[in-house]
Amino acid sequence: AQTVTQSQPEMSVQEAETVTLSCTYDTSESDYYLFWYKQPPSRQMILVIRQEAYKQQNATENRFSVNFQKAAKSFSLKISDSQLGDAAMYFCAYRSEGIQGAQKLVFGQGTRLTINP
Amino acid sequence: DVKVTQSSRYLVKRTGEKVFLECVQDMDHENMFWYRQDPGLGLRLIYFSYDVKMKEKGDIPEGYSVSREKKERFSLILESASTNQTSMYLCASTVGGLVYEQYFGPGTRLTVT
């Protein structure tokens, strides 16, 4: 079974600085998808960024980017120019390729990010 | 925009009660999911459904059951609530096939006393 590990329960960063959240995963599959989800204090979970394992290029969404190291099974999230609205719980998630019943996400433990003004 | 709603934000029940958590999505999604979220454990999948009346167990199905009689609605049932089921419960949905973004509801904080 796949597992996802986030080893940083809490992180903090000064506003406008850059922060990197770590995520490692374990799998024997070669094709899969990785995600970062954000859960603000209001609790509605939203997708931040996704990465397909077959793509070598790291995904980027505005101030959010990932460092995907497939051989090392590492998938970190970098937030540039941190803003107060970035304060949230961040979850790394893994999805194996497939349809119907195989379309499940496995989540890490989460990292609580605090932005200091 | 996709909207996933859950029947209650906060719920307090007594041990042994039967508890129903309701989830409704408005985007005609085939797949729906129930997770529980606990500090330090992240989200763990309880059950999911990939079609009306179809369901599959997730990683922690014990003590729970589900019902999906209509495509837009997915219910989580605690047959006899216990204190160790005190948790945050999140519902999610996604369209079938290879589209894989899950849309989440706001969550229900359940306390069993």
Side-chain angles (χ1 to χ4, degrees):
Chain A
Q2 294 85 12
T3 59
V4 178
T5 301
Q6 293 177 249
S7 59
Q8 306 156 314
E10 296 182 347
M11 293 279 285
S12 63
V13 64
Q14 291 296 124
E15 196 175 1
E17 300 277 302
T18 295
V19 64
T20 298
L21 308 184
S22 301
C23 173
T24 59
Y25 58 94
D26 187 27
T27 183
S28 58
E29 298 176 328
S30 58
D31 291 319
Y32 49 88
Y33 303 89
L34 295 163
F35 306 84
W36 280 98
Y37 278 86
K38 171 185 178 181
Q39 187 182 42
S42 64
R43 295 184 296 167
Q44 198 102 22
M45 189 97 73
I46 56 173
L47 179 67
V48 175
I49 199 166
R50 70 167 66 96
Q51 174 80 43
E52 292 88 341
Y54 66 86
K55 289 186 178 179
Q56 293 188 340
Q57 187 172 8
N58 289 325
T60 299
E61 288 286 343
N62 300 314
R63 297 182 296 106
F64 298 86
S65 62
V66 300
N67 183 4
F68 173 50
Q69 302 287 330
K70 191 173 184 180
K73 297 179 182 175
S74 170
F75 182 61
S76 59
L77 174 69
K78 186 172 83 171
I79 306 174
S80 303
D81 186 25
S82 298
Q83 300 176 0
L84 294 178
D86 295 333
M89 190 73 131
Y90 286 82
F91 290 97
C92 178
Y94 172 103
R95 176 191 176 273
S96 55
E97 188 176 89
I99 61 173
Q100 302 296 2
Q103 194 182 134
K104 296 185 288 186
L105 288 180
V106 177
F107 286 86
Q109 300 87 340
T111 297
R112 183 173 301 281
L113 178 64
T114 301
I115 312 295
N116 300 314
Chain B
D1 283 350
V2 176
K3 195 167 185 181
V4 180
T5 57
Q6 296 184 227
S7 50
S8 304
R9 295 295 293 265
Y10 299 94
L11 207 54
V12 179
K13 295 292 181 181
R14 297 197 175 190
T15 301
E17 278 194 83
K18 191 168 186 176
V19 181
F20 293 86
L21 303 183
E22 305 284 336
C23 175
V24 177
Q25 48 92 6
D26 66 357
M27 283 302 292
D28 201 36
H29 284 173
E30 285 85 356
N31 301 323
M32 297 187 74
F33 306 80
W34 274 107
Y35 296 91
R36 66 177 280 175
Q37 181 181 356
D38 299 289
L41 297 177
L43 278 71
R44 293 179 291 166
L45 182 64
I46 304 171
Y47 265 99
F48 68 103
S49 168
Y50 52 89
D51 202 351
V52 175
K53 298 189 185 294
M54 305 303 290
K55 60 186 180 185
E56 284 198 26
K57 293 179 180 179
D59 300 316
I60 52 165
E62 297 78 18
Y64 304 94
S65 62
V66 291
S67 171
R68 194 166 181 202
E69 297 296 320
K70 293 185 178 181
K71 192 173 186 181
E72 67 271 18
R73 188 180 297 270
F74 191 35
S75 302
L76 179 69
I77 303 157
L78 287 66
E79 295 289 343
S80 177
S82 63
T83 55
N84 62 13
Q85 293 178 309
T86 291
S87 186
M88 172 71 77
Y89 290 88
L90 295 175
C91 175
S93 74
T94 184
V95 66
L98 292 180
V99 178
Y100 37 77
E101 178 175 353
Q102 290 197 7
Y103 295 86
F104 285 83
T108 296
R109 168 73 67 185
L110 173 67
T111 301
V112 182
T113 60

